[in-house]
């Protein structure tokens, strides 16, 4: 296992740095090296690491959701208004519908399996989008019409939306049908999860005001509480949403202590080891035989679903004061996908679903296509489509 960890740490970082030098996202290089050193090619990754891949993905998911909550500024959402609220769920809904329509024709899956694939691929990547929007905001590009704020808010919130939908679609695909009695559990789990998380977030904010501790110690406390909330979800079996509780906790903490939330979010972003391990495991999980056979079909499906997604973004900004260039920029800025796809892509395979290989292949293809395409599009288009409000 130590040799595998050494390879992950050294080769993964070198590959990520090499991609960064040629203006590609680091995750691109990490995934490719994971594929090369995984069990389907050179087989240099210890099976004991692969055996706990589900737990490692769950930890990464908790980190994603906590950061999303800590960066979810409700006041910005209110200021921007209807388009920001719609950006949180409309583009993702359009993409899920697109996958459900296209997957049966392109990959021969059922509509439910297509919707499950859509829930995996529909989340925009805050890791790619948010830093670029912060840079645009700091330099005054599009700030008069609050374009960076709107995109950042939607990018932080739609992750939560698709993760909740993923759990629902996975249950439908696994059972083969939707259980009507299970519908009664949905509102209970949502209300109980949000309420428990809100109470914890408020208590944490009050405690941290009275007790002065280091930010690193606050992170340990928040991570421990997050793990406990997920354990409660597993114990209550459908009557409590640990994921929503994590979001509620971090969001209410942000409302009560915004400065501390910003510092803690910055420190969460430095947990690069989890990200490195996550993308490496994604590469290791790819069956190269299946990927070579269905990779082109998966790419066609991803591009087709992107058209549905961009239509959803255009609908969100219709009726606003944005001109056609600014609307086009919003559509391009909502393309990148990365971390959520890495977390969810391998879950159908580990759950034993028939569409598991297809889901993982589509998730990886979506990352490899949209992360660089979206990043390049933002860098190329912002000067052509947005107005700079600073001299």
């Amino acid at each position: 296992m130590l040799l595998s960890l050494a390879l992950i740490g050294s080769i993964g970082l070198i590959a990520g740095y090499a991609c960064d030098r040629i203006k590609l996202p680091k995750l691109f290089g990490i995934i490719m090296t994971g594929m090369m050193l995984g069990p389907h090619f050179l087989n240099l990754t210890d099976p004991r690491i692969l055996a706990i891949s589900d737990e490692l993905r769950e930890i990464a998911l908790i980190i994603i959701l906590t950061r999303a909550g800590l960066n979810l500024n409700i006041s910005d959402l209110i200021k921007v208004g209807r388009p920001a609220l719609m950006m949180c769920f409309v583009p993702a809904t359009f993409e899920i519908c697109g996958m459900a329509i296209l997957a049966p024709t392109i990959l021969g899956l059922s509509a439910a399996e297509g919707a499950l694939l859509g829930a995996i691929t529909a989340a925009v990547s805050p890791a790619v989008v948010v830093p670029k929007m912060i840079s645009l905001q700091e330099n005054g590009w599009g700030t008069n019409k609050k374009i960076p704020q709107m995109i950042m808010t939607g990018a932080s919130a739609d992750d939560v939306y698709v993760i909740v939908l993923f759990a629902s679609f996975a249950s439908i695909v696994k059972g083969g049908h939707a259980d009507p009695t299970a519908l009664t559990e949905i509102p209970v789990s949502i209300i109980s999860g949000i309420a428990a998380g809100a109470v914890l977030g408020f208590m944490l904010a009050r405690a941290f005001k009275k007790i002065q501790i280091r930010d690193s110690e606050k992170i340990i406390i928040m991570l421990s509480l997050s793990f406990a909330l997920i354990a409660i979800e597993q114990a209550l079996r459908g009557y409590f949403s640990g994921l929503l509780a994590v979001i509620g906790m971090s969001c209410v903490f942000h409302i009560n202590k915004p400065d501390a939330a910003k510092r803690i979010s910055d420190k969460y972003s430095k947990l690069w080891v989890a990200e490195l391990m996550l993308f490496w495991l994604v590469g290791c999980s790819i069956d190269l035989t299946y990927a070579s056979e269905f990779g082109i079909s998966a790419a066609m499906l991803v591009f087709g679903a992107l058209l549905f997604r961009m239509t959803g973004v255009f609908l969100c900004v219709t009726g606003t004061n944005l001109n056609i260039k600014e609307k086009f920029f919003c559509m391009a800025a909502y393309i990148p996908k990365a971390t959520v796809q890495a977390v969810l892509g391998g879950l159908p395979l580990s759950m034993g679903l028939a569409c598991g290989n297809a889901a993982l292949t589509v998730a990886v293809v979506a990352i490899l296509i949209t992360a660089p395409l979206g990043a390049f599009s933002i860098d190329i288009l912002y000067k052509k489509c947005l107005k700079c409000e600073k001299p």
Side-chain angles (χ1 to χ4, degrees):
M1 182 180 288
L2 293 178
L3 176 60
S4 293
L5 292 175
L7 292 173
I8 292 172
S10 57
I11 299 179
L13 284 178
I14 292 171
Y17 177 76
C19 285
D20 188 51
R21 294 287 292 177
I22 58 175
K23 304 301 182 182
L24 285 174
K26 292 181 179 180
L27 59 92
F28 191 96
I30 299 171
I31 290 176
M32 298 305 293
T33 51
M35 291 173 60
M36 290 177 57
L37 300 180
H40 300 291
F41 196 63
L42 296 179
N43 196 24
L44 295 178
T45 301
D46 195 300
R48 288 174 292 179
I49 295 178
L50 300 176
I52 59 171
S53 61
D54 291 345
E55 288 77 10
L56 294 173
R57 285 192 180 97
E58 195 161 41
I59 292 172
L61 182 59
I62 289 172
I63 293 173
I64 292 168
L65 292 177
T66 305
R67 285 200 68 205
L70 291 172
N71 287 286
L72 190 57
N73 195 326
I74 303 298
S75 62
D76 280 348
L77 186 64
I78 295 172
K79 288 177 184 177
V80 178
R82 176 190 63 84
L85 180 62
M86 292 180 68
M87 291 281 274
C88 297
F89 67 93
V90 172
T93 302
F94 269 63
E95 183 164 358
I96 291 171
C97 292
M99 279 283 188
I101 293 170
L102 298 174
T105 302
I106 296 177
L107 289 181
L109 304 176
S110 67
E113 291 172 329
L116 179 64
L117 264 64
I120 292 172
T121 62
V124 71
S125 173
V128 178
V129 173
V130 172
K132 291 186 177 296
M133 293 304 110
I134 291 175
S135 176
L136 294 182
Q137 187 176 358
E138 290 174 345
N139 290 284
W141 289 96
T143 52
N144 188 42
K145 297 182 180 180
K146 294 184 170 57
I147 293 173
Q149 295 93 317
M150 177 180 65
I151 294 173
M152 278 193 294
T153 302
S156 299
D158 85 332
D159 289 6
V160 184
Y161 175 67
V162 300
I163 288 169
V164 173
L165 288 182
F166 171 83
S168 301
F169 290 135
S171 298
I172 293 172
V173 173
K174 192 172 184 179
H177 64 281
D179 184 2
T181 60
L183 296 177
T184 59
E185 299 176 3
I186 296 176
V188 175
S189 65
I190 291 174
I191 294 171
S192 61
I194 293 176
V199 170
L200 274 178
F202 180 77
M203 292 173 62
L204 278 176
R206 293 291 299 272
F208 292 161
K209 284 180 181 178
K210 295 181 179 180
I211 305 172
Q212 299 298 320
I213 59 176
R214 298 168 62 90
D215 287 339
S216 55
E217 294 172 325
K218 294 175 184 175
I219 290 176
I220 293 173
I221 293 172
M222 294 189 75
L223 276 176
S224 300
L225 289 174
S226 298
F227 295 156
L229 290 170
I230 299 300
I232 293 172
E233 177 184 9
Q234 295 170 352
L236 295 182
R237 297 180 180 275
Y239 291 97
F240 180 81
S241 174
L243 298 179
L244 288 178
V246 171
I247 281 288
M249 177 182 69
S250 52
C251 187
V252 171
F253 182 82
H254 171 92
I255 293 172
N256 287 274
K257 282 187 71 68
D259 293 338
K262 177 65 169 61
R263 296 196 308 272
I264 293 173
S265 175
D266 290 341
K267 290 188 179 295
Y268 262 96
S269 68
K270 293 179 174 61
L271 296 176
W272 58 270
V273 175
E275 184 177 279
L276 177 62
M277 184 70 72
L278 174 63
F279 288 113
W280 183 280
L281 288 171
V282 169
C284 287
S285 302
I286 299 172
D287 187 337
L288 295 176
T289 303
Y290 186 93
S292 61
E293 184 177 353
F294 293 97
I296 296 177
S297 298
M300 292 171 57
L301 185 60
V302 168
F303 279 115
L306 276 180
L307 295 178
F308 279 83
R309 179 181 192 82
M310 295 175 78
T311 303
V313 175
F314 184 79
L315 179 64
C316 293
V317 296
T318 297
T320 65
N321 61 345
L322 302 186
N323 60 43
I324 190 65
K325 288 185 178 181
E326 291 165 337
K327 291 177 181 178
F328 183 74
F329 175 81
C330 293
M331 294 163 65
Y334 240 54
I335 289 176
K337 308 168 187 299
T339 317
V340 173
Q341 288 70 32
V343 173
L344 300 182
L347 293 184
L349 188 61
S350 65
M351 294 166 65
L353 300 182
C355 63
N357 270 320
L360 179 60
T361 301
V362 170
V364 173
V365 169
I367 294 171
L368 298 181
I369 290 175
T370 64
L373 176 62
F376 288 147
S377 298
I378 294 172
D379 290 340
I380 293 171
L381 293 175
Y382 79 91
K383 288 186 178 181
K384 298 179 180 179
C385 297
L386 305 182
K387 292 182 180 179
C388 184
E389 310 301 334
K390 288 185 179 180

